[in-house]
Amino acid sequence: MGWQALLISMPALSQEIGQVERTVTRHGELIEKSIVSLPDALDLAWMANDVRIAYRWHVPDASIGDPRGVWIYRAGAPYQLAVNGRVAVGLLDTYPLAQASRNDTVINGRSPTLFPLPAQASDIELSFQAPPFMNRGLTYARVGSVNELTPVHLSSYGTVAIPAFMFVVLAGTLWVFSSSIWLVSQRTPLIALFAGLCGTMTLRYWMLLWPSVPFSPTFYEQVNPYLIMCFVLMALVFNWLLTDQWSTSKKRWVTAFFLTYSAFNVAAFAADAGTVALRMMVQVVGNIGLIYIIVHVFRSRQVLPRGWAWAIGGGYLLLLLCSFHDLGLAVAYVPYARGSMLIWGQAALLLAYGYVTSDFVSQQLRLANLSKADLDRQVSDARAELASTYAALARHEKLQAAREERQHIVQELHDSLGSRLITLLRGVRRDALATGAIIEALEDGLSDLRQVITANHVDGRLVLALGNWRQNWEERLERAGVQMSWHLDDSVDEIILSAEQLHQLLFLVQEAATNVLKHADATVFGVTALHRRRRLILILNDNGLGWPSSGTGTGLGLKGMRQRAARLGARIRFTSLRCVVPTATHGAAIVVSMPCVDNAAERAPVMTAV
């Protein structure tokens, strides 16, 4: 039951304060003095640091035997209430513990407060101690029996305090868990940002629960927009990290904006100015930031898992709607009795971020627990399944297109392998090649031959083709001191490619492995294949020296890889390992993305491990 329903159901032992005297001054000079009705809508020009607003009214002698009190529902700013010239303290307030002996207590205008009154006639003055945070002054007041007003006060305070308390418990719990995970894990920036989002909102709504303001009211009103701006900046960085768009230029921009905004807050507080300007800046920048993130998530939905995109986009959309509601509340467009909705939007957004962060952590934990034996078992199981379906897929070989593709590959093998053997023969005849060079050339030739055989004898099964390539190359890499990291996602099990496509893909893998042996000075070579949204994603990476400072993709071998990718209709990107594995400090990566038939159900994203 709400406080309005309680007032209706109780005996008429109290009365509503309908009209009060309002005084508005600027630098001590009177601007206006008039009788107004409650709730009082303020002029926008009065929402300034140099304007002070006060309300006065008179309460006659008590006509009831019960102790009396005055109940203030809400006010547009932190305020002091003076009864017969003495500062009053809330009847049920217990924070701070020693406030009963203070004469400078400032009440938090965002929550209801019940004040005791003497039995004799009283002159009451309510004076704002800071610029209003909304376009309203005194909203609702009632005087009467304390016994009647106490349940009304508790009910109205509960509508504010219970949601705020629940939010503080939720955000504080998420902050403790995320901070603990960040400390004991690899300290991923994504987890640290989620902890920061929870921490800022915990502090903001914890301050909302205060019945009184224990420090400067101006500082109190500046902390709230400052925390909101920090939340918006961290949310921007969080989403850029999710979509791999967190660049050096963005980092410099965010850092510069944060330092400038923080310095502006310090200067504004020191000069006792800027509270209203800071709040308006947060309203504008915050809503623009929310709209930008919603659009950004929608545009990046192809690179985000479907569940992540829906969770983040839905959370921000709800937060934006609640923000518009509270903006209407602040400018007197929405009735004041409805209360704030922003807390529900922020709770939904934190839960969305919690879902994304927990899913990300679970993926990292799963990959950390994978071992070479598990990968071998998965490959063995896949081979057994492929063997059971080999007879049905053998009909694919009889298609004319497959024969033409094999002829094309044979011709290419004739050109490449034949040229390689002729060059080797001439070098041997002239005694111009060392034994090591001869062995390397023969191994390359055998690799080309095996590659052609593999492309034409696996019935188009990508898993079999990559598995055969691994068997042929793993020993060679180990002899060179390079360990192979291998992951074929379950989503690629049903992918069928033409012999030509398999040949080109195997060439890309082989060329990447050759570059690792010759140039990278690496100890690990990783191959990852997964199927997302009708595209095959092939990631080839190493932990070596990385690309030269002159840029990537400038060598002849890499140009050849670009040409092979173009034949496949694929996109190829030469990048650093950090773009694939955020925790990596060095290394190179090649990402190939090509269209293919979607034969497998889409699954959650798989993080690449090295």
Side-chain angles (χ1 to χ4, degrees):
M1 179 183 295
W3 59 269
Q4 293 171 318
L6 281 173
L7 287 176
I8 294 174
S9 63
M10 286 185 172
L13 299 179
S14 65
Q15 63 180 19
E16 180 180 345
I17 299 173
Q19 291 185 328
V20 296
E21 180 187 76
R22 182 183 64 196
T23 303
V24 184
T25 60
R26 177 179 280 115
H27 296 301
E29 297 183 2
L30 182 64
I31 298 177
E32 184 201 67
K33 186 175 184 180
S34 59
I35 303 298
V36 297
S37 299
L38 302 185
D40 179 33
L42 301 178
D43 193 326
L44 289 176
W46 297 345
M47 298 178 66
N49 292 77
D50 56 353
V51 174
R52 286 295 179 264
I53 302 172
Y55 297 90
R56 297 180 179 87
W57 65 93
H58 179 75
V59 177
D61 291 337
S63 59
I64 57 176
D66 295 337
R68 349 182 258 179
V70 58
W71 176 64
I72 307 297
Y73 174 55
R74 290 187 75 181
Y79 64 90
Q80 281 187 339
L81 189 82
V83 179
N84 295 332
R86 299 188 62 179
V87 176
V89 179
L91 185 63
L92 303 179
D93 296 346
T94 59
Y95 178 84
L97 296 177
Q99 72 176 205
S101 62
R102 297 177 54 181
N103 60 3
D104 60 347
T105 301
V106 177
I107 305 300
N108 183 2
R110 290 175 170 83
S111 60
T113 306
L114 177 60
F115 300 91
L117 290 179
Q120 65 272 19
S122 304
D123 290 319
I124 301 177
E125 179 180 359
L126 187 151
S127 56
F128 285 177
Q129 303 300 305
F133 57 81
M134 64 179 181
N135 192 26
R136 289 191 180 91
L138 182 59
T139 59
Y140 188 87
R142 199 170 184 89
V143 62
S145 167
V146 170
N147 293 332
E148 174 190 354
L149 292 177
T150 296
V152 177
H153 169 65
L154 294 177
S155 175
S156 61
Y157 185 75
T159 61
V160 177
I162 292 177
F165 177 77
M166 293 174 61
F167 185 93
V168 169
V169 172
L170 169 66
T173 303
L174 292 176
W175 175 77
V176 170
F177 276 104
S178 57
S179 299
S180 302
I181 293 173
W182 182 78
L183 289 173
V184 301
S185 65
Q186 298 178 349
R187 302 196 174 185
T188 306
L190 208 64
I191 303 176
L193 283 170
F194 177 65
L197 292 173
C198 296
T200 55
M201 289 299 99
T202 300
L203 179 59
R204 179 174 185 264
Y205 284 99
W206 176 59
M207 291 175 60
L208 179 65
L209 290 170
W210 295 353
S212 59
V213 180
F215 43 76
S216 166
T218 302
F219 178 75
Y220 178 84
E221 289 301 321
Q222 285 190 196
V223 169
N224 185 56
Y226 182 80
L227 292 175
I228 295 176
M229 185 64 75
C230 292
F231 182 92
V232 172
L233 290 178
M234 286 188 290
L236 282 171
V237 177
F238 191 100
N239 285 274
W240 281 330
L241 280 173
L242 277 184
T243 55
D244 195 21
Q245 297 181 21
W246 179 235
S247 60
T248 303
S249 61
K250 287 187 175 69
K251 183 183 298 184
R252 292 173 180 171
W253 179 87
V254 170
T255 303
F257 183 87
F258 173 74
L259 294 177
T260 303
Y261 181 73
S262 300
F264 186 70
N265 271 268
V266 174
F269 176 72
D272 194 21
T275 303
V276 177
L278 289 171
R279 188 178 298 117
M280 296 304 296
M281 179 190 299
V282 170
Q283 288 285 355
V284 174
V285 176
N287 286 322
I288 291 176
L290 293 181
I291 296 173
Y292 169 81
I293 293 175
I294 292 174
V295 174
H296 178 261
V297 170
F298 176 77
R299 295 180 60 184
S300 305
R301 65 187 186 280
Q302 299 295 336
V303 298
L304 285 175
R306 185 174 301 172
W308 292 12
W310 277 105
I312 296 175
Y316 271 109
L317 184 59
L318 182 60
L319 179 61
L320 183 63
L321 294 176
C322 294
S323 177
F324 285 151
H325 174 276
D326 280 24
L327 183 62
L329 188 71
V331 298
Y333 182 77
V334 176
Y336 70 92
R338 292 187 180 180
S340 173
M341 294 292 295
L342 194 62
I343 187 171
W344 304 111
Q346 288 177 333
L349 184 60
L350 277 188
L351 289 175
Y353 274 131
Y355 162 72
V356 172
T357 305
S358 62
D359 193 44
F360 172 79
V361 171
S362 66
Q363 291 289 340
Q364 292 232 336
L365 291 175
R366 184 176 68 85
L367 290 172
N369 294 327
L370 286 178
S371 62
K372 184 176 180 298
D374 294 330
L375 295 175
D376 289 339
R377 178 182 54 80
Q378 292 177 12
V379 172
S380 177
D381 293 343
R383 287 176 180 168
E385 183 180 354
L386 290 172
S388 64
T389 59
Y390 178 81
L393 295 175
R395 292 191 297 269
H396 184 71
E397 287 186 343
K398 298 179 180 180
L399 299 176
Q400 181 63 28
R403 290 198 296 268
E404 294 176 355
E405 289 173 352
R406 289 197 298 272
Q407 291 175 359
H408 175 76
I409 293 174
V410 170
Q411 182 63 41
E412 182 174 309
L413 179 61
H414 175 270
D415 296 339
S416 60
L417 183 58
S419 175
R420 191 190 304 274
L421 293 176
I422 290 174
T423 302
L424 179 61
L425 179 61
R426 291 175 179 174
V428 172
R429 285 177 176 176
R430 297 174 182 175
D431 198 18
L433 294 177
T435 303
I438 296 174
I439 294 174
E440 182 178 353
L442 290 174
E443 285 183 336
D444 289 341
L446 286 174
S447 296
D448 290 344
L449 181 60
R450 288 168 177 165
Q451 180 175 306
V452 172
I453 295 173
T454 297
N456 285 272
H457 288 81
V458 293
D459 298 321
R461 303 304 295 269
L462 177 63
V463 174
L464 280 180
L466 291 176
N468 289 338
W469 184 92
R470 178 185 180 184
Q471 287 182 343
N472 296 331
W473 269 81
E474 189 166 23
E475 181 181 354
R476 182 176 177 182
L477 288 170
E478 289 179 353
R479 288 201 309 268
V482 179
Q483 181 183 0
M484 183 176 293
S485 174
W486 190 268
H487 180 75
L488 301 185
D489 193 53
D490 294 343
S491 58
V492 303
D493 289 351
E494 303 300 327
I495 291 181
I496 305 297
L497 300 177
S498 66
E500 168 66 9
Q501 289 175 317
L502 287 177
H503 174 68
Q504 301 297 345
L505 279 177
L506 292 176
F507 177 87
L508 294 176
V509 179
Q510 180 170 309
E511 184 64 26
T514 302
N515 288 338
V516 168
L517 291 177
K518 292 183 178 180
H519 308 296
D521 192 21
T523 59
V524 176
F525 174 64
V527 177
T528 299
L530 50 135
H531 192 199
R532 294 293 178 270
R533 301 185 183 279
R534 298 181 179 275
R535 296 191 73 86
L536 171 64
I537 310 298
L538 184 65
I539 304 174
L540 312 170
N541 54 54
D542 65 80
N543 65 343
L545 301 176
W547 304 109
S549 57
S550 59
T552 62
T554 58
L556 291 177
L558 302 186
K559 290 182 179 178
M561 295 179 74
R562 291 185 186 275
Q563 294 173 358
R564 300 275 182 169
R567 295 178 189 174
L568 289 169
R571 297 193 299 265
I572 187 168
R573 180 163 61 103
F574 302 93
T575 184
S576 64
L577 182 59
R578 182 177 298 178
C579 294
V580 179
V581 182
T583 57
T585 58
H586 60 277
I590 302 172
V591 181
V592 180
S593 174
M594 64 169 286
C596 65
V597 178
D598 190 0
N599 295 316
E602 293 184 5
R603 295 171 173 82
V606 177
M607 305 300 294
T608 304
V610 175

